[in-house]
């Protein structure tokens, strides 16, 4: 931005977003380095010795099943943990990752003076000091009591000692956490009055960027696929997550995460469409809604929702087959991904209503043919923003909101002049009959795969 001549002195406030759940371990003494950076040198040179581990766990890490079971046992079971923190224990959630670090590398843990999320880590760089964790991204840790908005002593104690002081106190997502550091003033030309608003997770920031309204579904088609919505009241369950709402501290958001998102779409594109999104789209255009009864499950890595691994293809007679022709494979993948989203959302009570809009974002929302299948499977119109980077746009709106007064001002008021999303796809005639028949079949086959996977363990 500096090289392209951007005028940083125009920036009154900034905020940002990071992948959820990942954690960064600042070594004892790092805060001193962070607060006295030389504007003549890049950050990477100066911060190199500031971390107690060099490979940080990110959301794709699923190696903490043992710690998950320990945490659930410590608080009275999975449901009790979900009521407290919004989710049963999930491997990628930060508390379980911290517990694993403490158990396997106690020295690195005790050498850490501060633990940041990816979001609060990035905010710390702009602040030149440790940024607090915001309530919304903090809800992805299995540590925060989402109703009271304080760390749960039971969860902290079950994960690692002295954890509260390493995390710092959580803050409302719209809080101004301080002014920009002199490093950014001197190196880039920000004004010293530029305010930093707490950073949050990528999905919460997308909710802000899409200005989601109650009843709408947001579908993010990035590396992971996520489905999320605005919630008045938390309805914790054994599947999915409830996070504190990033734009209104009274409310919540629900989220379902699907690990096999863009990476499996890319693999099937490479295998069945010679690596071309164009050919992938043509396959969707040339095949019928419902795929003549052919259904597929494509989970190259252990899926989060539901816990299945492997590729499973079924013909119209529900007989498992080993392969599909290329075009059928592509439609089976995309229809299957969206049927899973609808089935799991409805299973949690989040129903498609006549006024429901779907807001799509993330890299694959560039693809109109994928969005057409989304509209058909959900029987609802699909809208997109003029950018697929809704997390970035949301961060800008959130910065503006924080600057305008945060919790005392309605976010919808602050962002009211922002452009409206535009219509990208409407359900095709006949779609509802096709998918009303297919959705229960998909759900039954999913159960069949799940019970077959469980059988050897019993
Ligand atoms: N035309 C397209 N059709 C389908 N997928 C696409 C298309 N263009 C980009 N993508 C996908 O978008 C993904 C990146 O999405 P993005 O939202 O930027 O990811 P992240 O979740 O990591 O932020 C790429 O992995 C790519 O598979
Ligand atoms: O784990 C989750 C949500 O719970 C992921 O959605 C991460 O927040 C990262 O997403 P990508 O941006 O990599 O898709």
């Amino acid at each position: 931005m500096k090289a392209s001549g951007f005028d940083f002195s125009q920036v009154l406030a900034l905020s940002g977003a990071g992948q959820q759940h990942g954690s960064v371990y600042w070594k004892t003494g790092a805060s001193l380095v962070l607060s006295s950076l030389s504007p003549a040198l890049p950050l990477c040179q100066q911060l190199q010795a500031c971390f107690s581990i060099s490979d940080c766990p990110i959301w794709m890490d699923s190696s903490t099943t043992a710690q998950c079971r320990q945490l659930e046992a410590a608080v009275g079971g999975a449901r009790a943990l979900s009521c407290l923190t919004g989710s049963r224990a999930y491997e990628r959630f930060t508390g379980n990752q911290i517990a694993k670090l403490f158990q396997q590398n106690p020295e690195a843990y005790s050498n850490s003076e501060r633990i940041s999320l990816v979001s609060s880590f990035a905010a710390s760089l702009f602040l030149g000091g440790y940024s607090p964790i915001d309530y919304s991204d903090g809800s992805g840790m299995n540590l925060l009591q989402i109703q009271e908005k304080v760390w749960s002593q039971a969860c902290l104690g079950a994960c690692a000692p002295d954890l509260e002081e390493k995390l710092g106190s959580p803050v409302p997502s719209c809080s101004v956490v301080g002014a920009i550091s002199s490093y950014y003033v001197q190196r880039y030309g920000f004004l010293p009055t530029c305010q930093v608003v707490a950073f949050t997770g990528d999905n919460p920031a997308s909710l802000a960027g899409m200005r989601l309204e109650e009843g709408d579904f947001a579908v993010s088609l990035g590396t992971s696929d996520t489905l999320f919505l605005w919630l008045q009241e938390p309805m914790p369950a054994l599947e999915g997550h409830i996070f504190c709402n990033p734009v209104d501290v009274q409310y919540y958001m629900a989220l379902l995460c699907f690990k096999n998102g863009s990476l499996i779409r890319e693999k099937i594109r490479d295998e069945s469409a010679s690596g071309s999104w164009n050919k992938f789209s043509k396959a969707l255009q040339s095949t019928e809604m419902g795929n003549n009864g052919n259904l597929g499950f494509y989970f190259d890595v252990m899926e989060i929702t539901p816990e299945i691994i492997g590729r499973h293809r079924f013909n119209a007679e529900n007989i498992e087959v080993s392969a599909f022709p290329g075009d059928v494979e592509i439609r089976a993948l995309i229809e299957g991904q969206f049927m899973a989203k609808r089935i799991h959302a409805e299973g949690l009570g989040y129903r498609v209503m006549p006024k429901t809009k779907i807001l799509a974002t993330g890299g694959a929302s560039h693809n109109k043919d994928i969005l057409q299948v989304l509209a058909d499977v959900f029987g609802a119109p699909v809208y997109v923003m003029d950018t697929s980077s809704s997390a970035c746009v949301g961060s800008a709106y959130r910065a503006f909101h924080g600057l305008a007064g945060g919790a005392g001002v309605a976010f919808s008021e602050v962002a009211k002049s922002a452009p409206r999303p535009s219509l990208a796809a409407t359900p095709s005639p006949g779609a509802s009959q096709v998918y009303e028949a297919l959705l229960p079949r998909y759900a039954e086959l999913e159960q069949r795969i799940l019970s077959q996977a469980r059988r050897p363990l019993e």
Side-chain angles (χ1 to χ4, degrees):
M1 286 172 88
K2 192 181 179 185
S4 69
F6 183 80
D7 180 2
F8 290 97
S9 72
Q10 297 289 311
V11 181
L12 299 178
L14 63 85
S15 188
Q19 288 192 341
Q20 298 200 256
H21 320 295
S23 42
V24 179
Y25 299 80
W26 296 92
K27 207 190 241 170
T28 303
S31 93
L32 211 62
V33 181
L34 195 55
S35 61
S36 51
L37 294 169
S38 157
L41 299 171
L43 292 175
C44 61
Q45 259 180 39
Q46 302 184 74
L47 294 177
Q48 233 158 45
C50 283
F51 307 104
S52 32
I53 57 167
S54 53
D55 292 325
C56 292
I58 66 151
W59 73 276
M60 287 177 127
D61 185 309
S62 54
S63 62
T64 64
T65 305
Q67 288 75 21
C68 287
R69 299 294 83 81
Q70 287 159 10
L71 178 59
E72 288 178 347
V75 299
R79 195 165 287 282
L81 184 65
S82 178
C83 289
L84 201 62
T85 69
S87 305
R88 68 163 169 82
Y90 278 88
E91 280 76 358
R92 68 193 191 288
F93 275 45
T94 327
N96 308 306
Q97 294 289 342
I98 295 172
K100 180 183 152 197
L101 180 78
F102 167 65
Q103 291 169 20
Q104 298 189 353
N105 192 349
E107 206 185 337
Y109 178 78
S110 67
N111 282 344
S112 304
E113 66 181 19
R114 183 79 173 205
I115 302 174
S116 294
L117 293 179
V118 178
S119 56
S120 62
F121 162 73
S124 304
L125 300 179
F126 284 98
L127 276 179
Y130 295 138
S131 170
I133 290 172
D134 78 294
Y135 294 159
S136 195
D137 209 14
S139 316
M141 302 174 78
N142 277 145
L143 294 176
L144 188 79
Q145 292 181 202
I146 55 164
Q147 309 229 28
E148 297 79 13
K149 292 157 182 56
V150 293
W151 298 125
S152 153
Q153 294 303 324
C155 296
L156 292 174
C159 288
D162 309 318
L163 187 49
E164 191 163 17
E165 66 196 53
K166 293 186 199 289
L167 294 175
S169 300
V171 295
S173 304
C174 58
S175 309
V176 171
V177 290
I180 198 155
S181 73
S182 60
Y183 177 85
Y184 281 91
V185 173
Q186 289 171 45
R187 191 171 165 93
Y188 295 100
F190 281 93
L191 292 181
T193 49
C194 174
Q195 303 294 299
V196 179
V197 172
F199 284 30
T200 192
D202 55 350
N203 293 296
S206 278
L207 179 139
M210 293 194 279
R211 293 184 297 143
L212 213 63
E213 287 166 9
E214 224 191 329
D216 297 340
F217 285 62
V219 173
S220 170
L221 303 169
T223 306
S224 63
D225 281 355
T226 58
L227 180 145
F228 50 88
L229 33 104
W230 177 290
L231 267 192
Q232 297 273 4
E233 289 294 333
M235 309 197 296
L238 290 179
E239 182 172 84
H241 317 295
I242 309 290
F243 299 150
C244 296
N245 190 296
V247 300
D248 193 326
V249 80
Q250 289 183 65
Y251 298 121
Y252 298 87
M253 68 181 276
L255 181 135
L256 283 169
C257 184
F258 303 83
K259 202 172 197 175
N260 292 271
S262 273
L263 301 183
I264 183 76
R265 285 190 288 273
E266 282 173 18
K267 265 200 203 164
I268 300 288
R269 176 202 61 187
D270 295 347
E271 293 167 16
S272 302
S274 331
S276 148
W277 286 126
N278 224 349
K279 286 192 184 147
F280 190 97
S281 282
K282 290 219 166 78
L284 291 175
Q285 289 160 15
S286 67
T287 45
E288 304 266 327
M289 279 189 294
N291 216 8
N292 289 319
N294 296 300
L295 286 177
F297 297 78
Y298 298 83
F299 304 130
D300 279 8
V301 288
M302 175 60 87
E303 185 45 71
I304 295 168
T305 325
E307 284 181 32
I308 294 180
I309 188 156
R311 296 186 185 184
H312 305 271
R313 303 173 185 84
F314 297 89
N315 67 16
E317 284 76 48
N318 288 345
I319 296 170
E320 187 149 11
V321 294
S322 58
F324 282 148
D327 288 3
V328 175
E329 180 96 318
I330 289 171
R331 180 165 278 278
L333 166 72
I334 299 299
E335 287 189 340
Q337 289 189 325
F338 292 141
M339 282 197 278
K341 288 180 183 54
R342 180 159 178 188
I343 288 164
H344 287 275
E346 294 199 336
L348 292 173
Y350 308 128
R351 305 214 146 260
V352 178
M353 303 297 202
K355 70 168 190 98
T356 299
K357 294 198 294 293
I358 303 197
L359 290 137
T361 185
S365 69
H366 287 296
N367 190 317
K368 290 261 179 226
D369 299 287
I370 291 181
L371 297 185
Q372 185 59 53
V373 180
L374 176 59
D376 291 341
V377 170
F378 275 76
V382 174
Y383 290 78
V384 288
M385 315 269 300
D386 58 358
T387 163
S388 59
S389 303
S390 53
C392 292
V393 177
S395 300
Y397 296 163
R398 291 182 54 258
F400 197 40
H401 184 215
L403 191 69
V409 182
F411 178 80
S412 53
E413 218 18 63
V414 168
K416 70 176 177 213
S417 53
R420 297 251 135 224
S422 56
L423 186 62
T426 46
S428 312
S432 61
Q433 289 91 312
V434 170
Y435 292 106
E436 262 159 39
L438 225 50
L439 284 158
R441 256 192 74 209
Y442 185 94
E444 277 163 33
L445 289 169
E446 187 186 277
Q447 282 311 314
R448 194 204 284 183
I449 301 168
L450 274 169
S451 56
Q452 280 166 357
R454 278 187 203 121
R455 202 165 298 144
L457 298 173
E458 282 162 7

